[in-house]
Amino acid sequence: MELNETIKQRRSIRKFTNDPVSEAQIGDLLEAARLAPSGSNLQPWRFVIVRSEEKKKELDPVTPYKFALKAPVLFVCCADLSVLESRPRRVKELRETGAFTDVDMEDPNSGKYKGSVSQSITAKGYLAMNVAIAVEHIVLRAVDLGLATCWLGRIDIEEAKRILELPEHLEIICFLPVGYPAQSPGQRPRLSMEEIVFKTL
Ligand SMILES: Cc1cc2nc3c(=O)[nH]c(=O)nc-3n(C[C@H](O)[C@H](O)[C@H](O)COP(=O)(O)O)c2cc1C
């Protein structure tokens, strides 16, 4: 599907059919996530794929969104907080692959330029921002495959982590149920162009 068509067709879907999502499709969605960009190429996204009906039942108390647990697959999208330690290695890797070769830039660590996005928000927020990009890759690729998703943020994180036996360094960012849509809603309200462009200079 043409990218713009995919963007236009995407909706948050809150009702799924019982049709199964194949291993190959799940792999395809994960590949879309894997290719997402991230600050310092940290790639903090980690996923728990829940297909087992038993596990979905266990997750029932952690979210008000029962439809999520009726989807054939639930992606639990997480940020690996430990990746910050790998930043020097990731940046070295980037340098070695020539990402900054012949690029018109000054040394970002010279001390001349103060501040950065990663410092202006919390580490967790910064990693969540990166995970969100990978999640949206999944969301759009799903549309491409005829599938549908819905971002879900209302989760009892601590209880979900306990049920899923997640280590402390994995933070849940969202639940993303994936399945075939059983509804076809129209476009949801959006702000106008005038409202989103604060200034043109
Ligand atoms: C970060 C994020 C969190 C969201 N959390 C929820 C949620 O907890 N429950 C829900 O039903 N929808 C949730 N949504 C879906 C939004 O309600 C939806 O994107 C918005 O209403 C626009 O509708 P559309 O996605 O169909 O265009 C979330 C979306 C995002 C991006």
Side-chain angles (χ1 to χ4, degrees), residues 16-90:
F16 299 95
T17 70
N18 291 326
D19 297 313
V21 174
S22 70
E23 284 282 356
Q25 286 171 317
I26 293 172
D28 204 317
L29 297 176
L30 288 169
E31 180 64 1
R34 207 175 66 84
L35 298 179
S38 56
S40 301
N41 207 20
L42 286 173
Q43 305 163 72
W45 40 79
R46 302 289 181 269
F47 300 95
V48 176
I49 311 299
V50 183
R51 306 182 77 181
S52 133
E53 290 308 321
E54 260 176 82
K55 209 33 107 179
K56 284 186 216 160
K57 220 171 262 167
E58 274 186 65
L59 287 170
D60 182 79
V62 310
T63 180
Y65 301 113
K66 304 309 168 196
F67 70 87
L69 308 171
K70 290 185 188 144
V73 193
L74 178 69
F75 280 50
V76 179
C77 308
C78 307
D80 184 344
L81 306 183
S82 73
V83 297
L84 291 169
E85 294 153 24
S86 69
R87 184 175 252 147
R89 186 155 38 100
R90 291 277 98 90

Side-chain angles (χ1 to χ4, degrees), residues 58-123:
E58 274 186 65
L59 287 170
D60 182 79
V62 310
T63 180
Y65 301 113
K66 304 309 168 196
F67 70 87
L69 308 171
K70 290 185 188 144
V73 193
L74 178 69
F75 280 50
V76 179
C77 308
C78 307
D80 184 344
L81 306 183
S82 73
V83 297
L84 291 169
E85 294 153 24
S86 69
R87 184 175 252 147
R89 186 155 38 100
R90 291 277 98 90
V91 172
K92 183 168 176 277
E93 233 171 44
L94 274 183
R95 282 222 183 84
E96 286 168 358
T97 52
F100 305 112
T101 310
D102 292 331
V103 173
D104 184 8
M105 59 184 269
E106 290 180 21
D107 175 7
N109 301 314
S110 68
K112 183 174 167 189
Y113 298 94
K114 304 268 176 283
S116 73
V117 173
S118 59
Q119 286 165 8
S120 76
I121 53 180
T122 62

Side-chain angles (χ1 to χ4, degrees), residues 10-12 14 65 67 150-154 188-190:
R10 185 213 56 80
R11 298 282 181 276
S12 292
R14 298 183 175 89
Y65 301 113
F67 70 87
C150 185
W151 278 79
L152 293 175
R154 179 61 74 92
R188 271 62 189 250
R190 286 297 189 269

